[in-house]
């Protein structure tokens, strides 16, 4: 990867794209450090340490949500809107037909922008009441309180829309996927907390717990193994051989060559983990908002405490939801019948299987096997940090999600650089 960046830096066009991308990321991180007016962020620190949905949103924003900064919402509204529109495209025939048109993707992108603005407004209003209930506002009553509310909500919405636009600018003038790179920058910016974690382990070891002298190197080795494992599984794919029949077009004979249909092991990316973590965190988030007293309401306190990030019931439900959402997401992304029909129209076939239903049945069976392995991989990456944290007493929150996103974005950016350099070499050869 580092060799790819070194080679790209020698090409003026790619160098300009890299500098533009870096400039956008710097502006984004500056916006994540500038607080909105009328808010005292110090009152919110404890609220983001419970491993609930707010912790996830704070991780996606690089800590900006806990500090109530200009870009507190991050790109979460745009991501949520994209997921909603994607699901509606499957459910509503009009949107499905729109996606198949020549300029359908551009129209869907415009719908995503409007939907993202609506989601940002809803999240901004909800977050305003959260920080108000936590006593983090300087003005809450009278005309001044109304003015402060309007300014805070408008700032959150404007910040979310601005960085969505910045991500699109990276797509056009930079390198890689803009929204993914912004999330990448947010997650990496939080890795400074590793120093605090290591220092805490060394302090506990010096205070009379010598097992942490052994645990620290073990954790480092496990982290390296996890990175290698994620890289290998992210790049893994099942290649189905495709044979194209020979045909004569005019005086030329076309076809006759072999190709393959690549089916990635992790076809759904990090989406199942995002869906699952959002759903399973809802009860705990509601419980933290209500602040139920254990003495006055022991039943409700026990119910909401059961969905704590470190509870075993949380782990089991989280794992089952990841498995279910992985199958669901693959099902809406890949249609074996449509793939088989496309192969038949292009005179392609899978050796050993007749075109039509036998081909679609084979693709369905293959997809089911791959989906199961991919779901187990995602569940292991997401759940193992929680189990490890419970066994060692350390807080390793959302480590699997962060690792998947960082590795995925790094690999995707490297592939983008490789494709740009390959195109440039071909152009130079043809010129």
């Amino acid at each position: 990867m580092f060799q790819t960046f070194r080679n790209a830096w020698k090409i003026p066009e790619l160098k300009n794209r890299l500098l533009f991308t870096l400039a956008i990321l710097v502006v984004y991180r500056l916006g994540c450090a500038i607080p909105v007016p009328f808010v005292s962020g110090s009152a919110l620190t404890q609220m983001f340490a419970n491993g609930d949905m707010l912790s996830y949103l704070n991780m996606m924003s690089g800590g900006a949500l806990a500090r109530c900064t200009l870009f507190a919402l991050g790109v979460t509204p745009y991501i949520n809107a994209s997921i909603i529109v994607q699901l509606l495209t499957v459910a509503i025939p009009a949107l499905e037909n729109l996606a198949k048109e020549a300029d359908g993707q551009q129209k869907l992108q415009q719908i995503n922008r409007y939907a993202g603005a609506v989601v940002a407004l809803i999240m901004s209003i909800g977050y305003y009441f959260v920080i108000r209930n936590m006593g983090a506002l300087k003005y809450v009553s009278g005309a001044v309180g109304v003015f402060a509310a309007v300014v805070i909500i408008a700032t959150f919405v404007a910040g979310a829309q601005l960085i969505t636009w910045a991500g699109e600018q990276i797509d056009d003038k930079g390198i890689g996927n803009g929204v993914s790179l912004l999330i990448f920058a947010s997650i990496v910016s939080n890795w400074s907390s590793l120093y605090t974690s290591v220092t805490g382990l060394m302090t506990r070891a010096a205070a009379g717990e010598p097992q942490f002298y052994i645990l620290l190197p073990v954790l480092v080795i496990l982290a390296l193994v996890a990175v290698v494992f994620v890289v290998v599984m992210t790049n893994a794919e099942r290649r189905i051989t495709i044979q194209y029949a020979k045909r004569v077009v005019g005086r030329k004979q076309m076809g006759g060559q072999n190709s393959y249909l690549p089916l990635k092991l992790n076809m759904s990316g990090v989406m199942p983990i995002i869906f699952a973590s959002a759903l399973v965190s809802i009860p705990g988030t509601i419980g933290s908002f209500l602040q139920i007293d254990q003495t006055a309401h022991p039943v409700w306190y026990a119910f909401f405490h059961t969905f704590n990030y470190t509870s075993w019931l949380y782990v089991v439900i989280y794992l089952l939801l990841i498995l279910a959402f992985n199958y669901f997401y693959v099902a809406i992304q890949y249609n074996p019948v449509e793939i088989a029909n496309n192969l038949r129209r292009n005179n392609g076939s899978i050796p050993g299987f007749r075109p039509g239903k036998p081909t679609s049945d084979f693709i369905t069976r293959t997809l089911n096997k791959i989906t199961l392995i991919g779901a187990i991989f995602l569940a292991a990456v997401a759940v193992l940090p929680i189990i490890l944290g419970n066994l060692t007493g350390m807080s390793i929150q959302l480590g699997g999600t962060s690792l998947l996103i960082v590795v995925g974005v790094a690999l995707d950016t490297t592939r983008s650089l490789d494709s740009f350099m390959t195109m440039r070499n071909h152009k130079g050869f043809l010129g």
Side-chain angles (χ1 to χ4, degrees), residues 90-289:
V90 179
I92 300 176
L95 287 177
E96 186 177 2
N97 294 332
L98 178 64
K100 295 178 181 179
E101 295 179 0
D103 58 343
Q105 293 303 320
Q106 294 181 359
K107 294 179 180 178
L108 285 179
Q109 184 69 15
Q110 190 68 23
I111 295 174
N112 284 339
R113 295 191 190 101
Y114 292 134
V118 174
V119 173
L121 178 61
I122 295 173
M123 292 181 65
S124 299
I125 295 173
Y127 189 49
Y128 166 78
F129 285 105
V130 169
I131 60 180
R132 178 178 177 177
N133 294 337
M134 293 299 296
L137 294 180
K138 297 180 180 178
Y139 307 102
V140 295
S141 60
V144 179
V146 174
F147 176 76
V150 172
V151 170
I152 292 171
I153 293 172
T155 302
F156 284 153
V157 175
Q161 293 301 100
L162 178 59
I163 60 174
T164 300
W165 174 84
E168 293 176 353
Q169 295 305 304
I170 293 179
D171 293 339
D172 294 337
K173 304 174 184 177
I175 195 74
N177 184 283
V179 173
S180 298
L181 283 171
L182 293 176
I183 299 174
F184 176 90
S186 299
I187 294 174
V188 172
S189 67
N190 281 332
W191 284 4
S192 59
S193 60
L194 289 175
Y195 174 77
T196 305
S197 300
V198 172
T199 305
L201 285 178
M202 298 303 294
T203 303
R204 293 178 64 177
E209 298 179 83
Q211 67 270 20
F212 285 101
Y213 284 122
I214 302 175
L215 183 60
L216 184 58
V218 171
L219 290 177
V220 173
I221 295 173
L222 286 177
L224 294 176
V225 171
V227 171
V228 174
F229 176 67
V230 170
V231 171
V232 171
M233 298 298 283
T234 301
N235 287 328
E237 62 183 18
R238 166 76 157 87
R239 296 183 176 183
I240 300 176
T241 303
I242 305 296
Q243 223 172 35
Y244 290 96
K246 295 181 180 180
R247 55 192 177 120
V248 178
V249 179
R251 294 184 178 181
K252 294 182 179 180
Q253 179 176 290
M254 303 181 66
Q257 74 275 17
N258 290 339
S259 182
Y260 62 87
L261 176 66
L263 298 177
K264 293 187 70 65
L265 183 65
N266 182 22
M267 290 181 284
S268 54
V270 77
M271 286 302 175
I273 295 181
I274 293 176
F275 287 163
S277 61
L279 280 183
V280 78
S281 300
I282 288 176
T285 305
I286 295 174
S288 64
F289 287 166

Side-chain angles (χ1 to χ4, degrees), residues 315-363:
V315 173
V316 173
I317 297 176
Y318 189 29
L319 186 141
L320 294 177
L321 284 175
I322 290 175
L323 296 177
F325 276 123
N326 191 63
Y327 272 96
F328 171 76
Y329 198 80
V330 172
I332 67 174
Q333 288 290 315
Y334 294 89
N335 186 349
V337 176
E338 185 176 349
I339 295 174
N341 291 335
N342 289 336
L343 288 176
R344 175 187 286 179
R345 282 195 293 267
N346 291 287
N347 293 323
S349 64
I350 299 175
F353 297 92
R354 288 179 298 162
K357 191 174 186 303
T359 298
S360 65
D361 291 342
F362 171 74
I363 296 175

Side-chain angles (χ1 to χ4, degrees), residues 55-98:
S55 298
Y56 160 73
L57 295 175
N58 190 47
M59 181 270 293
M60 294 289 282
S61 66
L65 188 65
R67 297 190 296 269
C68 283
T69 63
L70 299 180
F71 297 152
L73 298 184
V75 293
T76 304
Y78 177 79
I79 293 175
N80 292 339
S82 300
I83 294 172
I84 293 171
V85 172
Q86 190 176 31
L87 295 177
L88 290 178
T89 302
V90 179
I92 300 176
L95 287 177
E96 186 177 2
N97 294 332
L98 178 64

